[in-house]
Amino acid sequence: MTLPLRIGYGEDAHRLAEGRTLVLGGVPIPHAERGPIAHSDGDAVLHALADALLSGLALGDIGQYYPDTDSAHAGVDSRVILEDSLALVREWKYAPANVALVVTLDRPKLGPLRADIARNVATLLGLAETEVGVSFKTSEGLAPDHVQVRVTVLLRQVEG
Ligand SMILES: Nc1ccn([C@@H]2O[C@H](COP(=O)(O)O)[C@@H](O)[C@H]2O)c(=O)n1
Ligand SMILES: C[C@@]1(CO)OP(=O)(O)OP(=O)(O)OC[C@H]1O
């Protein structure tokens, strides 16, 4: 891989159900009536982010490294998935430069948690908080039963 800059893109979606904790970017969301149905902890931000990191270097996706058919990964903390994906990026001598992420969720309002999510994601990636853009959208009632996340990441080549 020779390009000094590479773009990665990732998406994730989970159906929401009662009795589950909604965690986004490693931040538990208070007042969420429902949380994700998932094989792992279902953190859609970290899943989409990990996929974005991998896609930027054409390294596949998290389902290849963490198949949801493998009981060994049941309930896995998504921070581990992200750390593993970041380690692969570093092995190829790249590092994240900045991140833009969009969460689509009808309820609850996430605006008050924007800084917490940005800070947590930045810490996980070794970035400044100002390098993590966090946007929220409702689906306008079109998809009230799921959470959807889309992420772009810019990767920069680093010295070996
Ligand atoms: N779960 C959400 C969804 C949206 N917001 C904020 O609401 C504003 C309007 O969103 P629209 O989808 O109607 O365009 C926007 O400022 C979002 O940041 C939110 O806080 N939590
Ligand atoms: C993370 C994995 C593995 O535990 O499962 P889920 O938590 O269901 O998440 P998803 O984003 O649907 O796919 C990746 C899976 O392999």
Side-chain angles (χ1 to χ4, degrees):
M1 288 186 227
T2 55
L3 286 175
L5 294 172
R6 298 178 66 109
I7 293 172
Y9 178 73
E11 290 196 10
D12 194 33
H14 285 277
R15 185 179 292 276
L16 297 169
E18 286 177 14
R20 293 163 188 270
T21 303
L22 179 62
V23 181
L24 293 170
V27 176
I29 308 301
H31 313 304
E33 293 156 11
R34 298 182 293 172
I37 298 171
H39 185 247
S40 66
D41 66 7
D43 189 325
V45 167
L46 298 191
H47 292 179
L49 181 55
D51 269 351
L53 291 172
L54 296 173
S55 84
L57 298 183
L59 296 175
D61 61 47
I62 59 171
Q64 292 174 253
Y65 300 92
Y66 287 90
D68 62 8
T69 47
D70 187 341
S71 59
H73 305 140
V76 65
D77 183 330
S78 296
R79 286 174 295 193
V80 173
I81 297 175
L82 183 68
E83 281 164 10
D84 287 354
S85 303
L86 187 57
L88 278 174
V89 166
R90 288 182 171 143
E91 274 177 33
W92 282 95
K93 309 294 181 208
Y94 282 82
N98 79 298
V99 169
L101 70 90
V102 182
V103 179
T104 302
L105 181 74
D106 282 2
R107 286 202 322 269
K109 282 290 182 192
L110 296 170
L113 297 166
R114 193 187 313 267
D116 289 348
I117 293 172
R119 194 179 309 117
N120 213 44
V121 168
T123 300
L124 290 168
L125 293 178
L127 288 174
E129 196 178 326
T130 48
E131 309 307 343
V132 179
V134 178
S135 306
F136 304 120
K137 301 300 289 181
T138 66
S139 77
E140 299 282 355
L142 292 169
D145 299 322
H146 88 307
V147 57
Q148 172 100 37
V149 181
R150 299 173 176 91
V151 176
T152 55
V153 61
L154 185 66
L155 299 175
R156 63 182 175 84
Q157 204 165 29
V158 292
E159 293 298 316

